[in-house]
């Protein structure tokens, strides 16, 4: 339930990622009291930007309360490191060389710099986490419980049997045909190659599952996103979407690139996949993709001229954003492909 609840908060916080659920977003917000809406917006760094690995437990509990107790057991240092320096959606580059921002000055600087690149709202949240982690942990827990009480608990009653059926079905398929044939049926972004599970995501990264296994979590609410945890010494988790539409509506990236002639370079497509998740500065994109700022600027200029991205100044930063309206006009396949 925790993973699906956080996916639900993401849809509520990022409606542009889920244009087909616009009415759902309106309806849910109408069922929440003003205090809960304000609390969700105050903590939306977690639902929009970070999507921390800690919210995708490798061994889930039978109830939300049980899973939250697992998070409660984490030391402050580990909790802060998870919410500020890890990301299951790939929008934050994993830094295994850094410790917790509470005790590692370099990690603290990285956390603050990443927040500053997203504007004052994100900076305020990160500042509050670093200043008083105990209070912020309590506030985040209270947000999830209030959302559960006012809306998600009823939603979960419908989702749980459907997700259970999906999971049981996949286990049966896996036992029958093996992993290489099972993965593509789960998502076009999953494949098996030379003993490795390959996932089409934002970053080039790897994790080891031998000895620990890999947890696959189906999600209805999170469609079309695939989330992946790959922190060292943790069992990897893959949350894959159970499509509400037929799988044939999802084009692969090769088809998408052919349709979008302005994206005639692989790096441009990667940059757009970052931007569709939220505003980014040139420096942040440069760090995420390990290329120079001038390279990033040249490719952004091409997409800016094509009308795929827009810009706005926020203090000393120029932030680039994907134009979701123009992308949707090019085709829903493009939007789904970028949001994977």
């Amino acid at each position: 339930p925790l993973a699906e609840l956080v996916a639900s908060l993401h849809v509520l916080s990022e409606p542009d990622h889920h244009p087909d659920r616009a009415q759902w977003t309106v309806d849910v917000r109408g069922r929440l009291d003003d205090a809960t809406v304000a609390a969700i917006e105050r903590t939306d760094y977690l639902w929009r930007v970070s999507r921390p690995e800690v919210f995708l437990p490798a061994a889930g509990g039978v109830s939300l309360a049980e899973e939250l107790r697992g998070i409660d057991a984490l030391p402050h240092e580990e909790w802060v490191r998870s919410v500020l320096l890890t990301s299951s959606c790939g929008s934050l580059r994993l830094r295994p060389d850094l410790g917790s921002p509470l005790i590692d000055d370099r990690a603290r600087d990285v956390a603050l710099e990443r927040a500053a690149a997203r504007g004052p709202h994100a900076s305020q949240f990160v500042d509050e986490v670093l200043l008083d982690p105990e209070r912020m942990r309590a506030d985040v827990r209270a947000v999830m419980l209030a959302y559960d009480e006012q809306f998600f608990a009823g939603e979960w009653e419908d989702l749980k049997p459907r997700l259970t059926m999906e999971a049981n079905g996949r286990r049966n398929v896996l036992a029958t045909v093996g992993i290489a044939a099972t993965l593509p049926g789960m998502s076009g972004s999953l494949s098996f190659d030379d003993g490795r599970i390959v996932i089409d995501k934002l970053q080039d990264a790897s994790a080891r599952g031998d000895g620990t296994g890999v947890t696959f979590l189906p999600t209805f609410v999170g469609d079309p996103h695939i989330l992946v945890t790959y922190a060292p010494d943790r069992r990897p988790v893959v949350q894959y979407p159970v499509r509400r539409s037929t799988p044939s509506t999802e084009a692969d990236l090769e088809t998408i690139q052919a349709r979008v002639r302005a994206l005639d370079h692989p790096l441009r497509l990667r940059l757009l996949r970052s931007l569709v998740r939220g505003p980014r500065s040139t420096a942040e994109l440069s760090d995420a993709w390990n290329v120079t700022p001038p390279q990033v600027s040249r490719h952004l200029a091409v997409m800016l001229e094509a009308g795929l991205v827009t810009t706005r100044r926020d203090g000393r930063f120029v932030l680039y954003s994907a134009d979701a309206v123009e992308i949707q006009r090019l085709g829903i396949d493009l939007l789904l492909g970028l949001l994977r």
Side-chain angles (χ1 to χ4, degrees):
L2 176 62
E4 201 73 341
L5 179 144
V6 173
S8 181
L9 286 170
H10 165 74
V11 176
L12 202 63
S13 302
E14 285 281 26
D16 286 346
H17 287 191
H18 304 268
D20 59 325
R21 308 202 73 188
Q23 188 58 52
W24 178 91
T25 300
V26 172
D27 293 342
V28 173
R29 282 182 171 267
R31 295 177 58 177
L32 303 177
D33 61 38
D34 292 344
T36 299
V37 171
I40 291 172
E41 292 174 351
R42 176 182 172 232
T43 56
D44 66 2
Y45 189 90
L46 301 176
W47 332 124
R48 297 175 62 247
V49 178
S50 176
R51 307 295 299 276
E53 292 192 346
V54 71
F55 293 149
L56 286 179
V62 297
S63 68
L64 179 63
E66 182 180 339
E67 291 184 315
L68 289 179
R69 284 195 294 272
I71 295 178
D72 293 342
L74 296 175
H76 287 328
E77 291 82 3
E78 187 174 346
W79 185 88
V80 170
R81 187 181 188 282
S82 179
V83 300
L84 298 187
L85 292 182
T86 73
S87 171
S88 57
C89 65
S91 63
L92 298 178
R93 187 178 178 188
L94 186 66
R95 293 292 303 270
D97 57 312
L98 299 178
S100 170
L102 289 183
I103 56 177
D104 184 333
D105 289 341
R106 293 182 306 148
R108 185 184 186 89
D109 290 342
V110 169
L112 291 170
E113 182 179 340
R114 287 176 169 179
R118 290 173 170 84
H121 182 70
S123 290
Q124 181 177 349
F125 174 80
V126 172
D127 286 342
E128 290 186 62
V129 169
L130 294 173
L131 180 65
D132 193 344
E134 184 173 2
R135 181 176 65 83
M136 284 304 298
R137 290 183 70 167
D139 289 351
V140 169
R141 194 183 203 279
V143 169
M144 291 190 283
L145 288 176
Y147 184 65
D148 181 58
E149 180 181 357
Q150 295 174 41
F151 169 73
F152 185 75
E155 184 91 334
W156 179 245
E157 290 302 312
D158 175 64
L159 290 169
K160 182 178 180 180
R162 296 163 60 196
L163 291 169
T164 300
M165 182 179 298
E166 162 69 17
N168 290 339
R170 293 298 175 188
R171 278 197 292 268
N172 291 336
V173 171
L174 178 64
T176 303
V177 302
I179 192 168
T182 300
L183 291 175
M186 295 162 66
S187 169
S189 297
L190 299 175
S191 61
F192 194 72
D193 178 40
D194 193 26
R196 298 181 304 157
I197 297 171
V198 181
I199 306 161
D200 177 18
K201 279 295 295 181
L202 279 170
Q203 298 177 7
D204 295 328
S206 62
R208 300 194 68 87
D210 51 334
T212 64
V214 178
T215 295
F216 286 89
L217 293 175
T219 175
F220 282 104
V221 178
D223 178 24
H225 301 305
I226 289 183
L227 303 187
V228 185
T229 72
Y230 57 98
D233 303 321
R234 290 188 182 178
R235 178 186 175 111
V237 179
V238 180
Q239 186 184 48
Y240 69 95
V242 181
R243 302 302 307 273
R244 295 188 301 275
S245 55
T246 59
S248 61
T249 64
E250 181 182 356
D252 58 28
L253 286 181
E254 288 74 22
T255 302
I256 293 170
Q257 285 178 292
R259 291 175 181 174
V260 188
R261 299 202 178 271
L263 300 178
D264 58 359
H265 191 287
L267 181 55
R268 293 179 200 153
L269 190 59
R270 290 185 172 191
L271 294 175
L272 193 60
R273 293 180 76 178
S274 291
L275 295 176
V276 80
R277 288 164 168 79
R280 301 286 189 272
S281 67
T282 300
E284 188 175 11
L285 291 167
S286 172
D287 177 69
W289 294 109
N290 198 27
V291 294
T292 66
Q295 285 179 295
V296 172
S297 295
R298 286 196 298 271
H299 289 295
L300 287 174
V302 173
M303 293 191 290
L304 187 64
E305 184 177 357
L308 295 174
V309 300
T310 60
T311 64
R312 65 177 174 87
R313 180 169 289 279
D314 191 336
R316 62 190 177 92
F317 293 95
V318 174
L319 299 182
Y320 291 82
S321 300
D323 191 323
V325 173
E326 293 303 319
I327 291 173
Q328 289 180 65
R329 288 175 180 170
L330 288 171
I332 193 64
D333 286 341
L334 174 60
L335 184 62
L336 295 178
L338 293 172
L339 286 172
R340 280 204 297 263

